[in-house]
Amino acid sequence: MNRFETNLRIPGPTSLPSAVREAGSRQMINHRGPEFAGMLERVISGLQGFYGTTNDIVLLTCAGSGGLEAAIVNTLSPGDRVLGVSIGAFGDRFAKIARVYGADVSKIDIEWGRAAEPDDLRRALEADNGYKAILLTLNETSTGVMNPIRELAEVARELAPDALILMDGVSALGAIPFEQDAWGIDIAVSGSQKSWMAAPGMAFLGVSERAWAAGTTARMPRFYLDIAEHRTAATTGQTPFTPALTVLFQLDVAMGLMLAEGADAIYARHAACAAATRAGLAALGFSLFADPARASGTVTCAWLPEDLDWKAFNTEMKRRKLVVAGGQGKLTGKVFRIGHLGTVTLDEIVACIGVIEESLLALGREITPGAGVAAAQRAGLEAIGAAPRVGAGA
Ligand SMILES: *Cc1c(COP(=O)(O)O)cnc(C)c1O
């Protein structure tokens, strides 16, 4: 780790590779010219690969939440019945947006720390399947839980074949295998500042033909977020309004880095970092918040022990230039979270666990120096299949 720079280990915005940072300092260009059109085309075609879709992907200049709002207002009408499947703070937000625009929202509230299991959705849809849309979260950033999205979509398709599946994928798309078309996800939303290694400022929506069709009759009000306008503008290599060019410059470079690394290598790197984070924290005595079977590949949430004061702990970490995230909503002061998505490497996670170790030692906690680092290192290497094969030499 670099002592002159903050080590940002929050679940977005994620830190930027230097080439991406440099791209952010470029001079402006005409956003109605061929250079822009080429850039838009490259970014969209790169995104399509990671989304697993051949459909249009819409780039909006807004935060990820604006992308969620766009998914709602472009497909629904006031009074439409919507099922919000929430496993945490972001699932609550998605349902709230639908409610604000007048949808008739029913909610399944899964206990925080658990995923929505296919049977949870099956029970809800067997009782009532008259929904126009089902809202799902791919990765719940507030709890560090990843939903079995493919299985959930399967249940939704089987029991509520007419319902649109709208998915918040903001904190996981680009970091884990995903197949929008094959899994039948109607809208998949993500944001530039998470796995995509760019600054905040743009949201992406993968939109199925069914969702485009729903848009032709959807009556929720929309102007800036009207994705049909974006689709039309894209045919001439433009966006309807002035886009966040600086973010696009960065995305263009970041996408180049992602394509050069390759999707499989990116997914393996994320899996290794996730495994290392969990193992390192567990070895230091932390209880992990998520159901282990559904632990997130991009963010890990851990309970703060009763006798560990968050402020003091966080001060020690910040002193060592490590920035992690606290708890959100009702988990404030009870948990902390480590983001391991985007440009992150196993070395960085091992170093991060090392800083947590030093911080705990500074607070006088009884841990064995090196225990967390060793566990993280081993779990990470095992996950990428590079663990030393103990006893295999004979
Ligand atoms: C980060 C995030 C968002 C979007 O957050 P913004 O601050 O609006 O960009 C939405 N959903 C999830 C799951 C997220 O992690």
Side-chain angles (χ1 to χ4, degrees):
M1 302 222 264
N2 181 335
R3 76 193 163 95
F4 297 112
E5 279 190 25
T6 294
N7 296 296
L8 195 60
R9 292 269 71 88
I10 62 175
T14 61
S15 61
L16 308 178
S18 48
V20 172
R21 284 165 64 175
E22 283 155 24
S25 67
R26 276 190 56 190
Q27 181 58 283
M28 292 297 107
I29 58 169
N30 177 9
H31 65 302
R32 308 269 178 229
E35 194 185 346
F36 179 81
M39 182 166 69
L40 188 65
E41 185 354 80
R42 280 192 300 278
V43 170
I44 289 176
S45 85
L47 286 169
Q48 282 171 323
F50 288 96
Y51 268 65
T53 186
T54 55
N55 268 307
D56 291 316
I57 291 190
V58 172
L59 271 64
L60 300 171
T61 289
C62 61
S65 301
L68 299 180
E69 188 157 329
I72 301 281
V73 300
N74 282 282
T75 55
L76 297 171
S77 299
D80 277 351
R81 299 195 54 224
V82 169
L83 180 65
V85 181
S86 176
I87 67 168
F90 287 98
D92 287 352
R93 180 182 297 182
F94 207 2
K96 187 171 178 183
I97 295 169
R99 227 170 240 152
V100 162
Y101 279 94
D104 175 7
V105 180
S106 306
K107 230 164 130 236
I108 308 181
D109 287 297
I110 303 289
E111 183 193 343
W112 287 27
R114 275 191 50 210
E117 296 299 334
D119 279 345
D120 295 318
L121 185 58
R122 181 172 291 280
R123 268 193 301 279
L125 293 178
E126 275 170 357
D128 180 353
N129 70 351
Y131 298 104
K132 180 72 200 288
I134 299 172
L135 312 182
L136 297 175
T137 313
L138 173 56
N139 182 70
E140 180 49 74
T141 317
S142 64
T143 60
V145 173
M146 207 165 259
N147 270 323
I149 208 74
R150 179 186 188 163
E151 289 88 337
L152 291 174
E154 239 169 55
V155 170
R157 283 295 203 210
E158 179 199 334
L159 296 176
D162 296 330
L164 294 169
I165 302 173
L166 309 181
M167 188 197 78
D168 175 350
V170 177
S171 59
L173 287 176
I176 59 155
F178 185 75
E179 295 292 339
Q180 176 170 11
D181 293 353
W183 300 351
I185 309 292
D186 290 297
I187 296 192
V189 182
S190 67
S192 53
Q193 80 275 30
K194 304 278 170 97
S195 307
W196 308 104
M197 305 189 294
M202 297 204 89
F204 322 134
L205 276 77
V207 185
S208 74
E209 273 315 319
R210 286 189 352 145
W212 286 115
T216 60
T217 55
R219 284 179 291 100
M220 282 185 182
R222 53 191 184 271
F223 175 75
Y224 182 71
L225 296 178
D226 188 342
I227 59 173
E229 295 293 330
H230 286 261
R231 190 187 209 188
T232 307
T235 61
T236 56
Q238 298 187 18
T239 52
F241 313 107
T242 315
L245 274 177
T246 299
V247 179
L248 263 171
F249 291 151
Q250 293 189 330
L251 279 170
D252 193 19
V253 170
M255 188 55 73
L257 296 175
M258 289 178 77
L259 294 175
E261 182 177 2
D264 289 342
I266 291 172
Y267 304 152
R269 180 166 55 74
H270 280 83
C273 289
T277 306
R278 290 192 295 265
L281 291 177
L284 293 176
F286 291 102
S287 303
L288 303 181
F289 188 78
D291 171 358
R294 301 297 187 200
S296 165
T298 54
V299 52
T300 294
C301 181
W303 286 106
L304 287 160
E306 292 270 322
D307 59 349
L308 179 62
D309 178 60
W310 165 241
K311 280 223 172 86
F313 178 38
N314 200 25
T315 300
E316 291 299 335
M317 289 189 284
K318 285 194 288 192
R319 242 210 312 276
R320 293 165 175 80
K321 295 211 157 288
L322 172 64
V323 174
V324 304
Q328 248 175 318
K330 62 185 181 191
L331 293 178
T332 306
K334 299 193 168 129
V335 300
F336 68 103
R337 296 171 300 146
I338 296 180
H340 32 84
L341 71 169
T343 183
V344 63
T345 62
L346 178 56
D347 310 357
E348 288 172 322
I349 291 299
V350 169
C352 160
I353 296 293
V355 171
I356 291 177
E357 244 175 43
E358 286 177 25
S359 302
L360 294 173
L361 288 165
L363 291 169
R365 295 186 74 85
E366 284 183 23
I367 55 164
T368 311
V373 167
Q377 177 83 279
R378 177 164 294 278
L381 291 176
E382 260 166 29
I384 46 179
R389 293 190 300 147
V390 178

